[in-house]
Amino acid sequence: MENTVYLYVFDSMSDWEIGYLTAELNSGRYFRKGLAPAQIVTVGIEKAPVTTMGGLKITPDMKVDECSITSVDALILPGGNTWTEAIHRPILEVAEMCLQEGIVVGAICGASIGLAQAGLLDSRWHTSNDLAYLKMICQSYTGEKYYKLESAVTDGKLITASGVAPLEFSVHVLRALDVFSPETLDAWYHLNKTHEPQYYYELMNSVQ
């Protein structure tokens, strides 16, 4: 069994915010027994190469208008400084369709601003980088009562996270996709969070 994950890529995207997640999905090294590594399909506005904030060049596998939500398990939206621009509207429409169909949508940092502008956070529990900033930049946003001051929040199939919480974001997405056992996910998180060697051995034991 293989999960298919759409990863939206665009110029100046915050590449480090999805690094933990893409590494584990692509390698599948700690997945539950019997699960194949996920297929990560990069999706762009066009098929022309994009350059991330870290200077990495990525050529999208497909354009947004080629996305098929009938064959995808998750859509991942990285952060960046351009999410208030109209250029991202097509992928936000895909995100809305995914949520309607019960498909995981993970948005971190600036991507949560895009979701807010699209009205997708007005009635779902969520977080972002800062509530005051979210309200200031998104005049149409009315989801304040659903905002949680947490590093990452899951509401059904929607996952949002602060830009300083890529590890917690990864945990929420991995849990939603159910590719790690609970013991593996707990050990993996604590190893990366605390750097304590005991969690390495717990992680190794959990995948035996």
Side-chain angles (χ1 to χ4, degrees), residues 10-13 15 48-58:
F10 54 95
D11 281 319
S12 78
M13 63 178 267
D15 43 12
V50 300
T51 304
T52 71
M53 195 178 291
L56 302 178
K57 286 186 170 30
I58 301 173

Side-chain angles (χ1 to χ4, degrees), residues 12-184:
S12 78
M13 63 178 267
S14 302
D15 43 12
W16 71 94
E17 292 177 349
I18 43 85
Y20 285 111
L21 181 60
T22 54
E24 298 307 343
L25 289 175
N26 183 67
S27 69
R29 57 183 176 168
Y30 304 130
F31 276 21
R32 295 175 184 271
K33 285 184 173 58
L35 287 184
Q39 179 187 18
I40 298 178
V41 179
T42 52
V43 179
I45 299 158
E46 300 292 340
K47 282 190 177 177
V50 300
T51 304
T52 71
M53 195 178 291
L56 302 178
K57 286 186 170 30
I58 301 173
T59 301
D61 296 314
M62 66 170 62
K63 297 195 301 182
V64 174
D65 59 13
E66 296 173 327
C67 289
S68 171
I69 64 169
T70 60
S71 58
V72 69
D73 298 285
L75 169 66
I76 304 301
L77 306 175
N81 297 322
T82 62
W83 275 101
T84 57
E85 298 178 10
I87 196 169
H88 298 300
R89 283 178 186 163
I91 197 65
L92 292 169
E93 292 173 0
V94 173
E96 183 173 12
M97 288 189 290
C98 285
L99 291 173
Q100 290 172 348
E101 296 299 319
I103 296 166
V104 173
V105 173
I108 184 170
C109 194
S112 63
I113 295 172
L115 293 180
Q117 285 197 322
L120 299 178
L121 304 184
D122 290 340
S123 60
R124 297 178 173 93
W125 294 107
H126 62 278
T127 193
S128 186
N129 293 334
D130 178 70
L131 178 58
Y133 180 74
L134 190 61
K135 290 169 62 179
M136 177 183 72
I137 203 167
C138 301
Q139 300 297 317
S140 61
Y141 168 72
T142 60
E144 180 175 356
K145 67 179 180 179
Y146 293 100
Y147 188 93
K148 289 188 175 183
L149 190 60
E150 297 177 11
S151 56
V153 172
T154 295
D155 183 341
K157 296 297 183 178
L158 174 66
I159 297 161
T160 50
S162 162
V164 294
L167 185 59
E168 289 76 11
F169 177 63
S170 302
V171 168
H172 280 244
V173 175
L174 292 169
R175 182 183 295 123
L177 290 174
D178 196 29
V179 290
F180 282 18
S181 72
E183 296 78 14
T184 298

